[in-house]
Structure formats: structure tokens, C-alpha cells
mmCIF file of all heavy atoms in Angstrom:
data_model
loop_
_atom_site.group_PDB
_atom_site.id
_atom_site.type_symbol
_atom_site.label_atom_id
_atom_site.label_comp_id
_atom_site.label_asym_id
_atom_site.label_seq_id
_atom_site.Cartn_x
_atom_site.Cartn_y
_atom_site.Cartn_z
ATOM 1 N N ARG A 1 57.917 -22.541 -24.914
ATOM 2 C CA ARG A 1 56.777 -22.193 -24.073
ATOM 3 C C ARG A 1 55.559 -21.871 -24.935
ATOM 4 O O ARG A 1 55.638 -21.799 -26.160
ATOM 5 C CB ARG A 1 57.121 -20.989 -23.187
ATOM 6 C CG ARG A 1 58.142 -21.268 -22.096
ATOM 7 C CD ARG A 1 57.619 -22.279 -21.094
ATOM 8 N NE ARG A 1 58.540 -22.423 -19.962
ATOM 9 C CZ ARG A 1 58.443 -23.378 -19.046
ATOM 10 N NH1 ARG A 1 57.476 -24.272 -19.128
ATOM 11 N NH2 ARG A 1 59.310 -23.437 -18.054
ATOM 12 N N THR A 2 54.428 -21.661 -24.283
ATOM 13 C CA THR A 2 53.173 -21.368 -24.974
ATOM 14 C C THR A 2 53.080 -19.877 -25.304
ATOM 15 O O THR A 2 53.340 -19.025 -24.446
ATOM 16 C CB THR A 2 51.975 -21.765 -24.095
ATOM 17 O OG1 THR A 2 52.083 -23.151 -23.767
ATOM 18 C CG2 THR A 2 50.660 -21.523 -24.808
ATOM 19 N N LYS A 3 52.729 -19.572 -26.539
ATOM 20 C CA LYS A 3 52.571 -18.175 -26.946
ATOM 21 C C LYS A 3 51.343 -17.568 -26.283
ATOM 22 O O LYS A 3 50.302 -18.213 -26.143
ATOM 23 C CB LYS A 3 52.425 -18.083 -28.470
ATOM 24 C CG LYS A 3 52.284 -16.650 -28.997
ATOM 25 C CD LYS A 3 52.193 -16.636 -30.525
ATOM 26 C CE LYS A 3 52.026 -15.221 -31.047
ATOM 27 N NZ LYS A 3 52.001 -15.160 -32.528
ATOM 28 N N LEU A 4 51.486 -16.313 -25.871
ATOM 29 C CA LEU A 4 50.370 -15.587 -25.270
ATOM 30 C C LEU A 4 50.407 -14.157 -25.773
ATOM 31 O O LEU A 4 51.490 -13.563 -25.899
ATOM 32 C CB LEU A 4 50.473 -15.633 -23.744
ATOM 33 C CG LEU A 4 49.347 -14.967 -22.947
ATOM 34 C CD1 LEU A 4 49.046 -15.762 -21.675
ATOM 35 C CD2 LEU A 4 49.718 -13.533 -22.570
ATOM 36 N N ILE A 5 49.258 -13.604 -26.072
ATOM 37 C CA ILE A 5 49.167 -12.222 -26.553
ATOM 38 C C ILE A 5 48.565 -11.346 -25.456
ATOM 39 O O ILE A 5 47.463 -11.613 -24.972
ATOM 40 C CB ILE A 5 48.320 -12.132 -27.833
ATOM 41 C CG1 ILE A 5 48.984 -12.928 -28.963
ATOM 42 C CG2 ILE A 5 48.136 -10.672 -28.247
ATOM 43 C CD1 ILE A 5 48.149 -13.022 -30.224
ATOM 44 N N ILE A 6 49.314 -10.314 -25.079
ATOM 45 C CA ILE A 6 48.789 -9.317 -24.142
ATOM 46 C C ILE A 6 48.183 -8.204 -25.002
ATOM 47 O O ILE A 6 48.905 -7.508 -25.725
ATOM 48 C CB ILE A 6 49.910 -8.751 -23.242
ATOM 49 C CG1 ILE A 6 50.548 -9.885 -22.423
ATOM 50 C CG2 ILE A 6 49.357 -7.667 -22.318
ATOM 51 C CD1 ILE A 6 51.731 -9.449 -21.577
ATOM 52 N N PRO A 7 46.866 -8.057 -24.973
ATOM 53 C CA PRO A 7 46.204 -7.116 -25.896
ATOM 54 C C PRO A 7 46.645 -5.671 -25.695
ATOM 55 O O PRO A 7 46.982 -5.251 -24.575
ATOM 56 C CB PRO A 7 44.715 -7.292 -25.543
ATOM 57 C CG PRO A 7 44.627 -8.597 -24.838
ATOM 58 C CD PRO A 7 45.914 -8.766 -24.111
ATOM 59 N N ALA A 8 46.630 -4.920 -26.775
ATOM 60 C CA ALA A 8 46.919 -3.486 -26.722
ATOM 61 C C ALA A 8 45.994 -2.823 -25.708
ATOM 62 O O ALA A 8 44.821 -3.179 -25.587
ATOM 63 C CB ALA A 8 46.723 -2.867 -28.105
ATOM 64 N N GLY A 9 46.539 -1.866 -24.969
ATOM 65 C CA GLY A 9 45.726 -1.147 -23.984
ATOM 66 C C GLY A 9 45.706 -1.791 -22.613
ATOM 67 O O GLY A 9 45.086 -1.248 -21.691
ATOM 68 N N THR A 10 46.368 -2.939 -22.465
ATOM 69 C CA THR A 10 46.394 -3.588 -21.148
ATOM 70 C C THR A 10 47.128 -2.714 -20.141
ATOM 71 O O THR A 10 46.732 -2.604 -18.973
ATOM 72 C CB THR A 10 47.075 -4.973 -21.236
ATOM 73 O OG1 THR A 10 46.309 -5.807 -22.121
ATOM 74 C CG2 THR A 10 47.147 -5.643 -19.871
ATOM 75 N N TYR A 11 48.225 -2.082 -20.605
ATOM 76 C CA TYR A 11 49.019 -1.204 -19.746
ATOM 77 C C TYR A 11 49.050 0.210 -20.328
ATOM 78 O O TYR A 11 48.868 0.396 -21.544
ATOM 79 C CB TYR A 11 50.446 -1.747 -19.602
ATOM 80 C CG TYR A 11 50.512 -3.129 -18.981
ATOM 81 C CD1 TYR A 11 50.837 -4.250 -19.753
ATOM 82 C CD2 TYR A 11 50.218 -3.318 -17.632
ATOM 83 C CE1 TYR A 11 50.894 -5.511 -19.189
ATOM 84 C CE2 TYR A 11 50.260 -4.575 -17.055
ATOM 85 C CZ TYR A 11 50.592 -5.672 -17.836
ATOM 86 O OH TYR A 11 50.632 -6.929 -17.274
ATOM 87 N N ALA A 12 49.284 1.181 -19.489
ATOM 88 C CA ALA A 12 49.352 2.581 -19.932
ATOM 89 C C ALA A 12 50.433 2.744 -20.995
ATOM 90 O O ALA A 12 51.561 2.266 -20.824
ATOM 91 C CB ALA A 12 49.664 3.472 -18.734
ATOM 92 N N GLY A 13 50.062 3.371 -22.098
ATOM 93 C CA GLY A 13 51.015 3.628 -23.171
ATOM 94 C C GLY A 13 51.265 2.450 -24.094
ATOM 95 O O GLY A 13 52.062 2.559 -25.029
ATOM 96 N N GLN A 14 50.584 1.336 -23.859
ATOM 97 C CA GLN A 14 50.771 0.145 -24.720
ATOM 98 C C GLN A 14 49.769 0.200 -25.877
ATOM 99 O O GLN A 14 48.598 -0.108 -25.712
ATOM 100 C CB GLN A 14 50.573 -1.140 -23.900
ATOM 101 C CG GLN A 14 50.746 -2.416 -24.714
ATOM 102 C CD GLN A 14 49.996 -3.593 -24.113
ATOM 103 O OE1 GLN A 14 49.648 -3.608 -22.940
ATOM 104 N NE2 GLN A 14 49.732 -4.599 -24.939
ATOM 105 N N ASN A 15 50.256 0.572 -27.039
ATOM 106 C CA ASN A 15 49.361 0.799 -28.177
ATOM 107 C C ASN A 15 49.232 -0.399 -29.112
ATOM 108 O O ASN A 15 48.407 -0.393 -30.018
ATOM 109 C CB ASN A 15 49.842 2.013 -28.979
ATOM 110 C CG ASN A 15 49.852 3.281 -28.134
ATOM 111 O OD1 ASN A 15 48.904 3.521 -27.382
ATOM 112 N ND2 ASN A 15 50.906 4.076 -28.244
ATOM 113 N N THR A 16 50.074 -1.408 -28.920
ATOM 114 C CA THR A 16 50.014 -2.594 -29.778
ATOM 115 C C THR A 16 49.995 -3.866 -28.934
ATOM 116 O O THR A 16 50.372 -3.847 -27.756
ATOM 117 C CB THR A 16 51.235 -2.659 -30.729
ATOM 118 O OG1 THR A 16 52.439 -2.679 -29.938
ATOM 119 C CG2 THR A 16 51.271 -1.456 -31.652
ATOM 120 N N ASP A 17 49.569 -4.949 -29.553
ATOM 121 C CA ASP A 17 49.606 -6.246 -28.866
ATOM 122 C C ASP A 17 51.054 -6.640 -28.574
ATOM 123 O O ASP A 17 51.971 -6.283 -29.326
ATOM 124 C CB ASP A 17 48.977 -7.337 -29.742
ATOM 125 C CG ASP A 17 47.476 -7.180 -29.903
ATOM 126 O OD1 ASP A 17 46.883 -6.357 -29.179
ATOM 127 O OD2 ASP A 17 46.904 -7.878 -30.763
ATOM 128 N N ILE A 18 51.243 -7.376 -27.501
ATOM 129 C CA ILE A 18 52.574 -7.872 -27.145
ATOM 130 C C ILE A 18 52.559 -9.393 -27.224
ATOM 131 O O ILE A 18 51.705 -10.056 -26.613
ATOM 132 C CB ILE A 18 52.967 -7.442 -25.720
ATOM 133 C CG1 ILE A 18 53.087 -5.920 -25.636
ATOM 134 C CG2 ILE A 18 54.272 -8.109 -25.278
ATOM 135 C CD1 ILE A 18 53.088 -5.395 -24.231
ATOM 136 N N ASN A 19 53.478 -9.938 -28.014
ATOM 137 C CA ASN A 19 53.640 -11.392 -28.067
ATOM 138 C C ASN A 19 54.632 -11.798 -26.987
ATOM 139 O O ASN A 19 55.751 -11.292 -26.941
ATOM 140 C CB ASN A 19 54.188 -11.829 -29.429
ATOM 141 C CG ASN A 19 53.212 -11.555 -30.552
ATOM 142 O OD1 ASN A 19 52.006 -11.567 -30.356
ATOM 143 N ND2 ASN A 19 53.718 -11.296 -31.739
ATOM 144 N N THR A 20 54.237 -12.698 -26.133
ATOM 145 C CA THR A 20 55.133 -13.149 -25.086
ATOM 146 C C THR A 20 54.946 -14.650 -24.851
ATOM 147 O O THR A 20 54.175 -15.309 -25.556
ATOM 148 C CB THR A 20 54.918 -12.350 -23.786
ATOM 149 O OG1 THR A 20 55.941 -12.686 -22.841
ATOM 150 C CG2 THR A 20 53.563 -12.631 -23.159
ATOM 151 N N THR A 21 55.684 -15.159 -23.891
ATOM 152 C CA THR A 21 55.577 -16.585 -23.572
ATOM 153 C C THR A 21 54.810 -16.747 -22.271
ATOM 154 O O THR A 21 54.688 -15.802 -21.474
ATOM 155 C CB THR A 21 56.974 -17.213 -23.407
ATOM 156 O OG1 THR A 21 57.624 -16.593 -22.283
ATOM 157 C CG2 THR A 21 57.813 -17.027 -24.653
ATOM 158 N N SER A 22 54.292 -17.931 -22.065
ATOM 159 C CA SER A 22 53.510 -18.147 -20.854
ATOM 160 C C SER A 22 53.629 -19.585 -20.375
ATOM 161 O O SER A 22 54.006 -20.485 -21.137
ATOM 162 C CB SER A 22 52.037 -17.817 -21.109
ATOM 163 O OG SER A 22 51.466 -18.769 -22.003
ATOM 164 N N LEU A 23 53.300 -19.749 -19.127
ATOM 165 C CA LEU A 23 53.175 -21.076 -18.536
ATOM 166 C C LEU A 23 51.707 -21.256 -18.175
ATOM 167 O O LEU A 23 51.213 -20.612 -17.244
ATOM 168 C CB LEU A 23 54.057 -21.206 -17.290
ATOM 169 C CG LEU A 23 54.052 -22.585 -16.611
ATOM 170 C CD1 LEU A 23 54.694 -23.637 -17.522
ATOM 171 C CD2 LEU A 23 54.786 -22.529 -15.282
ATOM 172 N N PRO A 24 50.967 -22.092 -18.925
ATOM 173 C CA PRO A 24 49.552 -22.283 -18.624
ATOM 174 C C PRO A 24 49.351 -22.857 -17.223
ATOM 175 O O PRO A 24 50.181 -23.622 -16.725
ATOM 176 C CB PRO A 24 49.102 -23.292 -19.694
ATOM 177 C CG PRO A 24 50.093 -23.149 -20.795
ATOM 178 C CD PRO A 24 51.392 -22.848 -20.112
ATOM 179 N N VAL A 25 48.255 -22.463 -16.589
ATOM 180 C CA VAL A 25 47.885 -22.985 -15.271
ATOM 181 C C VAL A 25 46.443 -23.467 -15.357
ATOM 182 O O VAL A 25 45.597 -22.807 -15.966
ATOM 183 C CB VAL A 25 48.034 -21.915 -14.174
ATOM 184 C CG1 VAL A 25 47.697 -22.499 -12.801
ATOM 185 C CG2 VAL A 25 49.453 -21.342 -14.159
ATOM 186 N N VAL A 26 46.188 -24.619 -14.760
ATOM 187 C CA VAL A 26 44.879 -25.263 -14.888
ATOM 188 C C VAL A 26 44.388 -25.727 -13.520
ATOM 189 O O VAL A 26 45.193 -26.051 -12.640
ATOM 190 C CB VAL A 26 44.981 -26.473 -15.857
ATOM 191 C CG1 VAL A 26 43.698 -27.307 -15.872
ATOM 192 C CG2 VAL A 26 45.308 -25.993 -17.272
ATOM 193 N N VAL A 27 43.081 -25.744 -13.347
ATOM 194 C CA VAL A 27 42.474 -26.318 -12.141
ATOM 195 C C VAL A 27 42.208 -27.793 -12.398
ATOM 196 O O VAL A 27 41.592 -28.158 -13.411
ATOM 197 C CB VAL A 27 41.171 -25.593 -11.763
ATOM 198 C CG1 VAL A 27 40.461 -26.309 -10.616
ATOM 199 C CG2 VAL A 27 41.466 -24.152 -11.372
ATOM 200 N N TYR A 28 42.693 -28.628 -11.491
ATOM 201 C CA TYR A 28 42.584 -30.083 -11.618
ATOM 202 C C TYR A 28 41.857 -30.697 -10.426
ATOM 203 O O TYR A 28 41.741 -30.088 -9.362
ATOM 204 C CB TYR A 28 43.977 -30.720 -11.676
ATOM 205 C CG TYR A 28 44.746 -30.513 -12.954
ATOM 206 C CD1 TYR A 28 45.601 -29.436 -13.111
ATOM 207 C CD2 TYR A 28 44.639 -31.421 -14.016
ATOM 208 C CE1 TYR A 28 46.332 -29.245 -14.288
ATOM 209 C CE2 TYR A 28 45.367 -31.246 -15.190
ATOM 210 C CZ TYR A 28 46.208 -30.151 -15.317
ATOM 211 O OH TYR A 28 46.919 -29.985 -16.481
ATOM 212 N N THR A 29 41.411 -31.924 -10.625
ATOM 213 C CA THR A 29 40.929 -32.771 -9.557
ATOM 214 C C THR A 29 41.398 -34.183 -9.916
ATOM 215 O O THR A 29 42.367 -34.350 -10.633
ATOM 216 C CB THR A 29 39.394 -32.670 -9.406
ATOM 217 O OG1 THR A 29 38.978 -33.439 -8.262
ATOM 218 C CG2 THR A 29 38.665 -33.171 -10.645
ATOM 219 N N SER A 30 40.712 -35.201 -9.417
ATOM 220 C CA SER A 30 41.037 -36.575 -9.817
ATOM 221 C C SER A 30 39.770 -37.241 -10.334
ATOM 222 O O SER A 30 38.659 -36.732 -10.149
ATOM 223 C CB SER A 30 41.604 -37.373 -8.639
ATOM 224 O OG SER A 30 40.569 -37.766 -7.763
ATOM 225 N N LYS A 31 39.941 -38.391 -10.959
ATOM 226 C CA LYS A 31 38.767 -39.084 -11.501
ATOM 227 C C LYS A 31 37.883 -39.634 -10.391
ATOM 228 O O LYS A 31 36.760 -40.080 -10.653
ATOM 229 C CB LYS A 31 39.193 -40.195 -12.452
ATOM 230 C CG LYS A 31 39.876 -41.391 -11.825
ATOM 231 C CD LYS A 31 40.188 -42.432 -12.892
ATOM 232 C CE LYS A 31 40.748 -43.726 -12.317
ATOM 233 N NZ LYS A 31 41.055 -44.704 -13.367
ATOM 234 N N ALA A 32 38.356 -39.538 -9.130
ATOM 235 C CA ALA A 32 37.528 -39.974 -7.996
ATOM 236 C C ALA A 32 36.359 -39.027 -7.765
ATOM 237 O O ALA A 32 35.340 -39.419 -7.196
ATOM 238 C CB ALA A 32 38.384 -40.073 -6.732
ATOM 239 N N MET A 33 36.469 -37.784 -8.205
ATOM 240 C CA MET A 33 35.354 -36.840 -8.077
ATOM 241 C C MET A 33 34.203 -37.312 -8.952
ATOM 242 O O MET A 33 34.399 -37.723 -10.096
ATOM 243 C CB MET A 33 35.787 -35.431 -8.493
ATOM 244 C CG MET A 33 34.645 -34.411 -8.450
ATOM 245 S SD MET A 33 35.169 -32.729 -8.899
ATOM 246 C CE MET A 33 35.935 -32.226 -7.351
ATOM 247 N N ASP A 34 32.987 -37.262 -8.423
ATOM 248 C CA ASP A 34 31.847 -37.726 -9.218
ATOM 249 C C ASP A 34 31.565 -36.744 -10.349
ATOM 250 O O ASP A 34 31.881 -35.554 -10.263
ATOM 251 C CB ASP A 34 30.617 -37.935 -8.330
ATOM 252 C CG ASP A 34 30.080 -36.630 -7.766
ATOM 253 O OD1 ASP A 34 29.333 -35.945 -8.481
ATOM 254 O OD2 ASP A 34 30.415 -36.300 -6.611
ATOM 255 N N ASP A 35 30.974 -37.265 -11.408
ATOM 256 C CA ASP A 35 30.755 -36.474 -12.623
ATOM 257 C C ASP A 35 29.873 -35.252 -12.374
ATOM 258 O O ASP A 35 30.108 -34.183 -12.936
ATOM 259 C CB ASP A 35 30.114 -37.346 -13.711
ATOM 260 C CG ASP A 35 31.080 -38.377 -14.277
ATOM 261 O OD1 ASP A 35 32.239 -38.420 -13.807
ATOM 262 O OD2 ASP A 35 30.681 -39.135 -15.186
ATOM 263 N N ALA A 36 28.853 -35.410 -11.520
ATOM 264 C CA ALA A 36 27.926 -34.300 -11.265
ATOM 265 C C ALA A 36 28.632 -33.131 -10.603
ATOM 266 O O ALA A 36 28.396 -31.965 -10.943
ATOM 267 C CB ALA A 36 26.768 -34.777 -10.396
ATOM 268 N N THR A 37 29.521 -33.423 -9.652
ATOM 269 C CA THR A 37 30.251 -32.359 -8.966
ATOM 270 C C THR A 37 31.206 -31.661 -9.922
ATOM 271 O O THR A 37 31.300 -30.430 -9.952
ATOM 272 C CB THR A 37 31.026 -32.921 -7.762
ATOM 273 O OG1 THR A 37 30.095 -33.513 -6.843
ATOM 274 C CG2 THR A 37 31.807 -31.836 -7.048
ATOM 275 N N ALA A 38 31.935 -32.440 -10.728
ATOM 276 C CA ALA A 38 32.868 -31.856 -11.695
ATOM 277 C C ALA A 38 32.124 -30.990 -12.708
ATOM 278 O O ALA A 38 32.596 -29.906 -13.089
ATOM 279 C CB ALA A 38 33.640 -32.962 -12.407
ATOM 280 N N TYR A 39 30.964 -31.448 -13.149
ATOM 281 C CA TYR A 39 30.140 -30.698 -14.097
ATOM 282 C C TYR A 39 29.691 -29.374 -13.472
ATOM 283 O O TYR A 39 29.826 -28.306 -14.081
ATOM 284 C CB TYR A 39 28.918 -31.527 -14.485
ATOM 285 C CG TYR A 39 27.908 -30.795 -15.352
ATOM 286 C CD1 TYR A 39 28.000 -30.827 -16.740
ATOM 287 C CD2 TYR A 39 26.871 -30.064 -14.781
ATOM 288 C CE1 TYR A 39 27.086 -30.144 -17.535
ATOM 289 C CE2 TYR A 39 25.952 -29.387 -15.566
ATOM 290 C CZ TYR A 39 26.058 -29.432 -16.937
ATOM 291 O OH TYR A 39 25.148 -28.748 -17.720
ATOM 292 N N THR A 40 29.156 -29.437 -12.255
ATOM 293 C CA THR A 40 28.631 -28.248 -11.576
ATOM 294 C C THR A 40 29.731 -27.229 -11.317
ATOM 295 O O THR A 40 29.538 -26.026 -11.522
ATOM 296 C CB THR A 40 27.964 -28.645 -10.246
ATOM 297 O OG1 THR A 40 26.911 -29.585 -10.506
ATOM 298 C CG2 THR A 40 27.383 -27.432 -9.536
ATOM 299 N N LEU A 41 30.895 -27.701 -10.871
ATOM 300 C CA LEU A 41 32.017 -26.805 -10.592
ATOM 301 C C LEU A 41 32.494 -26.111 -11.867
ATOM 302 O O LEU A 41 32.722 -24.894 -11.887
ATOM 303 C CB LEU A 41 33.160 -27.605 -9.960
ATOM 304 C CG LEU A 41 34.460 -26.858 -9.651
ATOM 305 C CD1 LEU A 41 34.198 -25.682 -8.715
ATOM 306 C CD2 LEU A 41 35.484 -27.809 -9.032
ATOM 307 N N THR A 42 32.628 -26.878 -12.935
ATOM 308 C CA THR A 42 33.096 -26.318 -14.213
ATOM 309 C C THR A 42 32.087 -25.320 -14.774
ATOM 310 O O THR A 42 32.462 -24.225 -15.220
ATOM 311 C CB THR A 42 33.345 -27.452 -15.221
ATOM 312 O OG1 THR A 42 34.288 -28.377 -14.670
ATOM 313 C CG2 THR A 42 33.868 -26.921 -16.540
#
């Protein structure tokens, strides 16, 4: 899986960074969307 760091201080009592795994999530469309709309949305 993809490495992810949860920064220190995210949770109460967490004084150091936490190395964990993650599943990335992305917003998608299709190439049918016109370039101007994709640009503006992004």
C-alpha cells in the first residue's frame, strides 16, 4: 500500500509522527469533459 504520515499532534497525546498505510482516493471524470471545465473545476 501507499505510505502515509499522520503528523504529530493530529490526535490527543500523539507526540510523534505515525507511519501508516493508505488507499489513495482521487476525483475523476472522462476525456469527454471539455478542457475549460476540467481546468476550472481543478
Side-chain angles (χ1 to χ4, degrees):
R1 291 296 187 191
T2 303
K3 181 178 179 177
L4 182 144
I5 297 174
I6 300 176
T10 298
Y11 299 108
Q14 180 205 340
N15 300 317
T16 59
D17 291 349
I18 296 164
N19 294 330
T20 188
T21 64
S22 68
L23 182 67
V25 182
V26 172
V27 173
Y28 288 91
T29 185
S30 77
K31 69 178 186 181
M33 177 178 281
D34 67 82
D35 289 1
T37 300
Y39 174 90
T40 302
L41 177 58
T42 303

